[in-house]
Amino acid sequence: GENVEQHPSTLSVQEGDSAVIKCTYSDSASNYFPWYKQELGKGPQLIIDIRSNVGEKKDQRIAVTLNKTAKHFSLHITETQPEDSAVYFCAALSMNRDDKIIFGKGTRLHILP
Amino acid sequence: DTGVSQNPRHKITKRGQNVTFRCDPISEHNRLYWYRQTLGQGPEFLTYFQNEAQLEKSRLLSDRFSAERPKGSFSTLEIQRTEQGDSAMYLCASSPPGGSNTGELFFGEGSRLTVL
């Protein structure tokens, strides 16, 4: 089955700087890669996703890149703000084969004032 | 509020007792998922339903765990003879029709179980 590795587990960046979180996956059949943000006491919430037919997607300060050959994908947050502090999870899904999303272990992002 | 609703939000129980969690998905969503999340970990898949049919169960779901979705609407997750290792956050998520094509899961806020 699919295995998703995520790093770093903890990341601290100065407010206004950029943050990058990286993930790798094992199943070449995976074709959908969402990123979720989880704030304290809440369930994860989708912030951006990318499908295997594109290499990059951007939404305001957030961007994701995908390298299918290397089986890795990354989340980039620019101009970080205090409200970006949270735990971020990458995930992978093979939409052609099954319907369960497999999550990485998460990255706790701290935005320093 | 039209989001995914879970209750109870917190449950403290003694080892050996049974507990049941309920999830009410977004009304037009036909797929419902249960995940378990322990401290410092990502959500781990337990099981999912399409309408009332339970389509897959993880090996994490021992025979002490049972999930139902009797009318294809709300779902319950029951844990019998709880063990301390069952302590976790139990997350429910739903997705709309054509979910595998859409991919997005909408999560509830979870039910936190503490087994003493």
Side-chain angles (χ1 to χ4, degrees), chain A residues 36 38 51 95 99-101, chain B residues 31 33 35 56 100 102:
Chain A
Y36 283 79
Q38 187 173 28
R51 298 174 195 274
M95 295 199 297
D99 298 297
K100 59 180 185 289
I101 290 180
Chain B
R31 289 180 183 235
Y33 298 76
Y35 281 81
E56 187 171 348
S100 63
T102 304

Side-chain angles (χ1 to χ4, degrees), chain A residues 2 11 14-15 36 40 42 46 48 53 55 58 63-64 70 76 80 95 100 105 112:
Chain A
E2 177 63 275
L11 178 62
Q14 211 69 37
E15 182 178 348
Y36 283 79
L40 195 62
K42 296 188 177 181
L46 181 75
I48 196 167
N53 56 347
K58 190 173 181 180
V64 290
H76 304 252
T80 52
M95 295 199 297
K100 59 180 185 289
K105 292 187 176 182
L112 306 172

Side-chain angles (χ1 to χ4, degrees), chain A residues 79-100:
Chain A
E79 300 172 12
T80 52
Q81 300 171 3
E83 55 265 34
D84 295 330
S85 293
V87 180
Y88 292 81
F89 295 99
C90 62
L93 167 69
S94 170
M95 295 199 297
N96 300 328
R97 189 174 61 198
D98 56 31
D99 298 297
K100 59 180 185 289

Side-chain angles (χ1 to χ4, degrees), chain B residues 68-96:
Chain B
E68 295 182 343
R69 195 183 183 198
K71 296 182 180 179
S73 56
F74 73 91
S75 176
T76 58
L77 176 68
E78 180 183 16
I79 309 173
Q80 296 181 325
R81 304 181 304 280
T82 52
E83 302 173 355
Q84 288 183 325
D86 297 331
S87 295
M89 176 76 82
Y90 290 86
L91 292 165
C92 176
S94 67
S95 66

Side-chain angles (χ1 to χ4, degrees), chain B residues 54-72:
Chain B
Q54 188 172 16
L55 296 186
E56 187 171 348
K57 294 170 60 173
S58 164
R59 65 180 185 276
L60 293 175
L61 215 65
S62 76
D63 57 7
R64 296 185 298 105
F65 288 71
S66 62
E68 295 182 343
R69 195 183 183 198
K71 296 182 180 179

